[in-house]
Amino acid sequence: MEDKKIQKLIKRLFDIVVSLIVLILFLPIWIIVAILIRTTSTGPVFFLQERPGLNKKIFKVYKFRTMRPGSEKMVKGQEVMKDDDRITSIGKFLRRSKIDEIPQVMNVLKGEMSLVGPRPERIASLADYTDVISKRLNMNPGMTGLAQVSGNVYLSLEDRYMFDVYYVEHYSLCLDLKIILRTVGVVLFGEDRYVNKCLVDINQGFAKEATAQEENISK
């Protein structure tokens, strides 16, 4: 338990340092992206939306706007695919390169998010959470996560949830490092490159937990 606390402290310090570096070094890119967004479509530069964070605490997530104004009013659970006609011309590039997510370093600095963790969902999704799925809210949401480097939109919603729960229950700095390195690959080669190439076997992990619980009950 003490080891986990130390790891989470190191995780927070790492979040702060990396976020500050990204915020400062990428400032010229922020300016260029802002100009491109304003000149290629109508609407604000940033997209802000309320999302549930740690322990269901609501916060506003920051992103560069990649879709036409009003496109956030979609059917719950509907995914935004690469050929979605709601995405603006510059938005396609921003989403593919993950540059649209960079403003979330402000959420990280505020302590609302982490560099790695379960991706924050819409508030409406909470209505469908079971006790197991709710475990994904036991850690700060992340800019990237285990599900995002294991196929992401190519996974079913249930599988993405299971990856998130696995991450929360098996968190370690080593796992964070693996996810960050894999995220670089996703940015360079695309999410489809890692379909069926998961970093961990979540089924095996849950099977071990179930066996351990059965042994404890029998005792």
Side-chain angles (χ1 to χ4, degrees):
M1 185 64 70
E2 190 66 29
D3 179 60
K4 289 292 184 181
K5 289 183 179 180
I6 294 175
Q7 289 196 63
K8 287 184 178 181
L9 176 59
I10 295 174
K11 177 184 177 74
R12 179 59 186 150
L13 291 174
F14 183 76
D15 282 345
I16 294 173
V17 171
V18 174
S19 296
L20 284 173
I21 292 174
V22 171
L23 188 62
I24 295 171
L25 293 184
F26 281 70
L27 186 57
I29 295 179
W30 286 53
I31 296 173
I32 294 173
V33 170
I35 293 173
L36 290 174
I37 291 175
R38 291 303 300 271
T39 56
T40 56
S41 64
T42 58
V45 171
F46 295 104
F47 171 73
L48 279 69
Q49 190 175 61
E50 291 187 333
R51 301 288 175 92
L54 177 65
N55 299 322
K56 296 185 180 181
K57 183 178 180 180
I58 305 301
F59 71 100
K60 289 186 177 180
V61 66
Y62 302 99
K63 293 182 67 175
F64 281 124
R65 181 176 59 82
T66 60
M67 303 176 74
R68 298 194 303 272
S71 296
E72 71 277 6
K73 299 176 181 178
M74 59 182 71
V75 178
K76 185 173 65 175
Q78 180 178 348
E79 297 297 339
V80 180
M81 304 303 287
K82 289 186 292 186
D83 58 349
D84 199 308
D85 59 9
R86 295 169 296 179
I87 302 175
T88 63
S89 55
I90 185 64
K92 292 180 179 179
F93 168 73
L94 295 179
R95 296 177 76 91
R96 168 63 184 81
S97 61
K98 305 298 182 182
I99 291 177
D100 65 315
E101 310 282 357
I102 290 180
Q104 287 167 32
V105 296
M106 294 188 290
N107 292 117
V108 175
L109 286 172
K110 292 166 66 176
E112 299 166 333
M113 292 181 62
S114 177
L115 294 176
V116 181
R119 287 294 295 161
E121 291 199 306
R122 290 175 176 78
I123 296 176
S125 299
L126 293 177
D128 300 325
Y129 278 23
T130 63
D131 290 341
V132 173
I133 297 173
S134 293
K135 292 180 180 179
R136 70 190 304 277
L137 300 171
N138 291 343
M139 289 189 72
N140 271 340
M143 292 181 64
T144 184
L146 187 56
Q148 283 62 53
V149 299
S150 302
N152 200 17
V153 298
Y154 297 96
L155 297 170
S156 67
L157 181 60
E158 291 75 16
D159 282 345
R160 290 204 298 276
Y161 284 155
M162 288 302 98
F163 274 107
D164 291 338
V165 172
Y166 180 97
Y167 171 79
V168 171
E169 295 187 336
H170 299 81
Y171 165 74
S172 70
L173 290 175
C174 181
L175 181 56
D176 268 15
L177 180 59
K178 290 179 180 180
I179 292 173
I180 290 173
L181 292 175
R182 174 68 72 88
T183 298
V184 175
V186 170
V187 171
L188 294 176
F189 306 112
E191 293 173 342
D192 53 342
R193 177 74 172 267
Y194 297 97
V195 176
N196 298 322
K197 295 180 180 179
C198 305
L199 282 176
V200 298
D201 185 348
I202 58 174
N203 294 320
Q204 184 178 10
F206 286 124
K208 288 182 179 179
E209 289 184 0
T211 300
Q213 290 175 359
E214 290 175 358
E215 290 178 349
N216 290 332
I217 293 175
S218 63
K219 292 178 181 178

